[in-house]
Amino acid sequence: DALDSMVGQTVTASRYLSFSTDIKKNVFTYRNVKWHTTGRKGTKCYFADNGGESEVVFGRGMQVTLKRVKYDPNSNRFEIWAEVSE
C-alpha cells in the first residue's frame, strides 16, 4: 500500500528537525503522528538545555530515511520510524 511504498525513501530536511527525547515531557502527545527517530552514529545534533521539553535538534539539510510506517485506524494515528543522518 501507499505507506509501505514510503519505507526506504530518503528526503532532505530543509529546516531544523526538533524532537522530544522524553515522551513524558512531550507537549505534542495529542497529535496524530508519533515519530520514533534515531540519529546515525556521528550525526551532529544539539541537546537543548530546556528540561521541560527534553528537546534534541538536528540541523538543516539532514537526510531522513523512513524505516517503518504504521497506521492505526482505531485511533486514527500514524507512527513513523526514521533515521537521521548528515
Side-chain angles (χ1 to χ4, degrees):
D1 79 326
L3 290 177
D4 289 333
S5 70
M6 295 170 57
V7 173
Q9 291 186 22
T10 300
V11 296
T12 301
S14 60
R15 301 179 188 261
Y16 291 100
L17 300 173
S18 170
F19 299 95
S20 175
T21 59
D22 184 348
I23 196 164
K24 294 175 189 166
K25 296 180 181 180
N26 187 333
V27 295
F28 299 116
T29 56
Y30 59 89
R31 293 200 175 167
N32 289 3
V33 177
K34 178 179 178 181
W35 285 81
H36 303 271
T37 308
T38 58
R40 187 177 293 167
K41 186 175 181 175
T43 302
K44 295 180 182 108
C45 64
Y46 171 76
F47 285 90
D49 190 20
N50 58 354
E53 293 183 30
S54 65
E55 182 181 27
V56 63
V57 180
F58 292 98
R60 291 180 276 200
M62 292 289 177
Q63 302 296 303
V64 181
T65 303
L66 300 179
K67 298 295 187 177
R68 181 177 171 207
V69 180
K70 182 175 91 173
Y71 174 68
D72 180 357
N74 296 321
S75 64
N76 191 33
R77 187 175 179 107
F78 290 90
E79 286 193 72
I80 300 169
W81 287 260
E83 181 181 71
V84 177
S85 61
E86 294 183 57

